[in-house]
Amino acid sequence: MAKKSRIKLLVFNLLILLAGMLLVAGIDRGTDIDFEANTLYLETTWKDGQAAAFQSSYTDFSAKGDSISILTPPFEMKRGIYTVSVDYECQGNGSTSDVLAQSYGIYNRMAQYVKSDQNRLKSGRHTVNYHVYSSYKCEEIQIRNTFNKEASKEGDYLSVKHVSIQYSPLSYIRDIGLLLLLLILADVLIWTVKTHIYEQTKLTGLCLTAIILISSYPLFVNYLLSGHDLEFHLMRIEGLKCGLESGMFPVRIQPLWLDGHGYAVSIFYSDLFLYIPVLLRFLGLPVFQAYKAYIFIINGATAIIAYYSFKILSGSRKAGIAASCFYTLFPYRLVNIYIRAALGEYTAMTFLPLVLCGFYEVYTKTKENKPSLRGCFMIILGLTGIIQSHVLTCEMIAVFIIAICAVLFRRTFSRDIFLRLAGSATVTVVLNLWYLIPFLDYYRLKFNVNDAGHIHWMEGIQQNALYPAQLLTTVYSGTGSSTGLWNGMKGEMPFGIGLASFIIIFLFLAGIVTRKEGFREKKNILCFACCCTSLFLTTYLFPYDFIRILAGNLESLIINLQFPWRFLSMAGIFLTWLTVIVICQGEKHVGGFRLKCFISALCLFICYQSLCQMNEKLNADSPRWIYDTGGLNTNFIMGEEYLPQGTDKNLLVDGVVSTSSDLKVQINRSGGKLNAQVHSESDRQEYVMIPLLYYGGYVAEDTEHHSIKVSKGENNCISLEIPPYYEGTIKVWFRESVLWRCSEWISLAAWAGFVIVWMRKFRPLSHC
């Protein structure tokens, strides 16, 4: 595109963006609304349809009725995002607050347009804030505060003091962000059409677009599908957002978890790629839409990376497209996304093609300096992506890297290859030092994740492996879980590798048996061996329990793998490589037209199979809408791996626990920071436990900048040492060590150098 055309396009974009901003700013959004206690009314209903309503802002366990709610008068709500603030007092944790839209007709028209979560009103707290999302101008909207009598006991009550509804700036941000996104997409389309790239890649682009859309088929509904780990990863997104809002960067201890006690999930489980959905949350998207957008982005990245990687590996566009289709729509990958909701694992699978192609380049093209350097870049980027996504995938890929390096011993320890592999490993470590140092620093401490007693229940890892018959599954149910060998296959989720995989395996073996030229090359045999090994590792035939006993102190490395069928992700990448081998050999032996027919038929079959698999999921699931934190359970911490040893999450209290009646403490939370107003009339040193879990790195000081001693108290909560006759405000927050900060600066400098070398010396994907 000519320079003059680029300037015109830029000016046009700025004018459109300015006009859009003025239009958005000029839209009538309505006025803020406040309701005092004397304007609220109490509504009680019975199952037989009877109802009664009278002015009141208080209810308790003695109230009659099956449904009891304190409601605001009806009001009008225009399109946009609104912040609702409810001031209340309550006893018990059975009360909730949400938005109520009057329903008209059999389709509940208004109820479809106005949505919010059911937000818990917690005993001991006095304010709840949440968002209401309105997609259409609606009348007769109310804020409903429900007293759940079934979840309450005698003495529980609910009193609402004040309700306010304010228009949120997120509405403006969301609308402008959407306009900006449309402009970027239009610019990319114009640039593609105006340059020579369009003529060269229009068919490739069309195929990749189709693959991305098919893999994202379950996203094209206005709700969220359930998944095994869904709530955990949505909490990670919300916890990261809360940490950033409180001023932490990078976020290490997510403050939202366990009702504000904090959880070290960001130290053990990297959140780097979760900054994408968090950014979308800051742009006004509800959490379920941000998560769906993240899946779409990952599907796009997987399809494109797989295409470029296997195109480089094979030197064929046709093989690259087929590999992208095979890998992106691989059954286990779709299971990870739509049934397991295993965000870390399916994100890590995005980068496996880069690692495979990088090693292939280094081992096969060492004498050609430029391609070999390209291989190093791909290894570094691939391993970095996996480290920042899923630690267990690092463990699995390490098994194959070590095995391949051992099999290719002579080539591995030749001067050129060894230097490139060692250099790639070193650069990878330095780039990820900002995450690895805190991870290793905490891993040496006592947490459930490295406690043999806590993971004792997982000792039967072999019991969670697959029957070989499960790899032959051809009907993919939309639900299921890993029930273990003792329950048979009934109720388990689908673990089949797909009929397309068996077609490829059969064709490869046919080439071997018929002694077709090229099939018996060492690299092809190595690929087939990796396929067989990865599939074998998923089954109960592999002696995991025996190896675990022999491992001794390294037992936790095996047990933490949890499920041997995770090796299906490795099988997916090696089966894709085998597909490329069959296509490349077919190009030599079959001919162009028949090969194109075969590739087309294979891709169509894969697409049909994946659509059937995803359709089963859509038909099996009920819709879910989760808009904000209120729709999530902050106590859902999966296996409690990142809790300090000995912590009982059920005994964590929301308030403070002091050692003396002469000690008065009031706390005020602000994200990951906590301010404690302390008044002590005691003549001796006292201790107060505050609702924060004790993780190494928490510090406390008062307004005079005097340090307050922080120690581990009961149930691993933070204990503050209060001097005699002390009065003042103590601030408690998490502060990174000097070592952690140094590792962050080193990684930042390494990334700067890496990008400079990338731009000046070599661009790995620029010639694909």
Side-chain angles (χ1 to χ4, degrees), residues 372-419:
S372 179
L373 182 60
R374 176 171 64 184
C376 294
F377 271 97
M378 297 180 83
I379 291 173
I380 293 166
L381 289 176
L383 290 178
T384 295
I386 294 170
I387 290 170
Q388 297 297 334
S389 302
H390 196 236
V391 173
L392 292 180
T393 302
C394 297
E395 186 178 332
M396 290 187 292
I397 200 171
V399 171
F400 285 94
I401 289 176
I402 293 170
I404 290 172
C405 289
V407 170
L408 303 175
F409 178 84
R410 290 186 178 180
R411 292 185 61 77
T412 299
F413 289 95
S414 64
R415 182 177 178 275
D416 289 340
I417 292 179
F418 182 78
L419 289 177

Side-chain angles (χ1 to χ4, degrees), residues 443-519:
Y443 201 82
R444 64 185 176 84
L445 303 177
K446 294 182 178 180
F447 289 93
N448 288 340
V449 70
N450 55 18
D451 177 25
H454 178 77
I455 58 179
H456 178 76
W457 65 279
M458 288 300 301
E459 281 188 352
I461 182 174
Q462 198 159 336
Q463 296 295 321
N464 288 301
L466 301 181
Y467 297 104
Q470 288 179 271
L471 298 174
L472 302 172
T473 301
T474 56
V475 177
Y476 295 91
S477 62
T479 57
S481 61
S482 176
T483 58
L485 295 178
W486 54 86
N487 288 325
M489 289 174 59
K490 183 179 179 180
E492 290 216 347
M493 58 187 174
F495 289 110
I497 59 176
L499 285 177
S501 298
F502 290 103
I503 293 171
I504 293 299
I505 292 172
F506 174 80
L507 291 175
F508 181 83
L509 290 176
I512 295 291
V513 171
T514 57
R515 298 179 178 272
K516 293 289 185 182
E517 183 183 353
F519 278 95

Side-chain angles (χ1 to χ4, degrees), residues 531-757:
C531 288
C532 295
T533 302
S534 58
L535 293 174
F536 179 56
L537 287 170
T538 66
T539 69
Y540 76 95
L541 301 175
F542 188 82
Y544 282 101
D545 287 344
F546 178 71
I547 294 175
R548 176 183 60 79
I549 294 170
L550 291 180
N553 293 333
L554 299 178
E555 175 188 29
S556 62
L557 291 176
I558 299 173
I559 296 176
N560 279 326
L561 182 62
Q562 297 178 322
F563 308 110
W565 41 257
R566 291 185 193 273
F567 278 102
L568 283 171
S569 59
M570 299 293 109
I573 193 67
F574 292 126
L575 286 167
T576 307
W577 184 14
L578 196 67
T579 302
V580 170
I581 291 171
V582 169
I583 290 173
C584 290
Q585 295 304 318
E587 203 162 9
K588 298 177 183 177
H589 301 289
V590 176
F593 178 73
R594 284 188 289 179
L595 181 65
K596 287 180 181 179
C597 291
F598 168 75
I599 293 174
S600 300
L602 181 69
C603 290
L604 288 173
F605 181 75
I606 292 170
C607 291
Y608 174 76
Q609 178 180 269
S610 63
L611 285 171
C612 291
Q613 178 183 353
M614 291 182 284
N615 187 62
E616 286 293 324
K617 175 62 176 175
L618 284 168
N619 289 330
D621 255 10
S622 299
R624 294 188 67 188
W625 292 274
I626 301 175
Y627 293 89
D628 285 297
T629 307
L632 298 169
N633 180 6
T634 65
N635 289 292
F636 185 76
I637 54 176
M638 299 291 287
E640 306 179 11
E641 292 94 340
Y642 312 133
L643 284 178
Q645 287 180 24
T647 305
D648 187 342
K649 70 173 185 179
N650 298 314
L651 298 180
L652 296 174
V653 296
D654 194 33
V656 298
V657 178
S658 60
T659 57
S660 171
S661 59
D662 295 329
L663 187 62
K664 307 297 182 185
V665 182
Q666 288 186 337
I667 59 171
N668 176 39
R669 295 178 183 271
S670 177
K673 300 174 183 177
L674 186 145
N675 293 323
Q677 294 180 339
V678 181
H679 176 74
S680 175
E681 297 179 355
S682 175
D683 59 356
R684 63 181 185 275
Q685 184 174 276
E686 302 287 356
Y687 293 89
V688 60
M689 281 191 300
I690 59 175
L692 286 175
L693 279 177
Y694 181 82
Y695 288 105
Y698 272 105
V699 294
E701 64 179 34
D702 60 16
T703 52
E704 303 297 325
H705 301 292
H706 296 143
S707 179
I708 303 296
K709 185 178 179 181
V710 175
S711 59
K712 184 187 297 184
E714 186 179 342
N715 202 24
N716 289 316
C717 285
I718 287 179
S719 177
L720 299 179
E721 186 179 283
I722 308 300
Y725 300 111
Y726 179 85
E727 184 168 2
T729 300
I730 299 174
K731 175 184 173 184
V732 185
W733 76 101
F734 184 84
R735 183 170 64 191
E736 295 189 14
S737 66
V738 175
L739 177 63
W740 291 19
R741 285 299 184 192
C742 289
S743 68
E744 291 166 7
W745 284 107
I746 292 171
S747 289
L748 183 63
W751 272 109
F754 182 82
V755 171
I756 291 172
V757 173

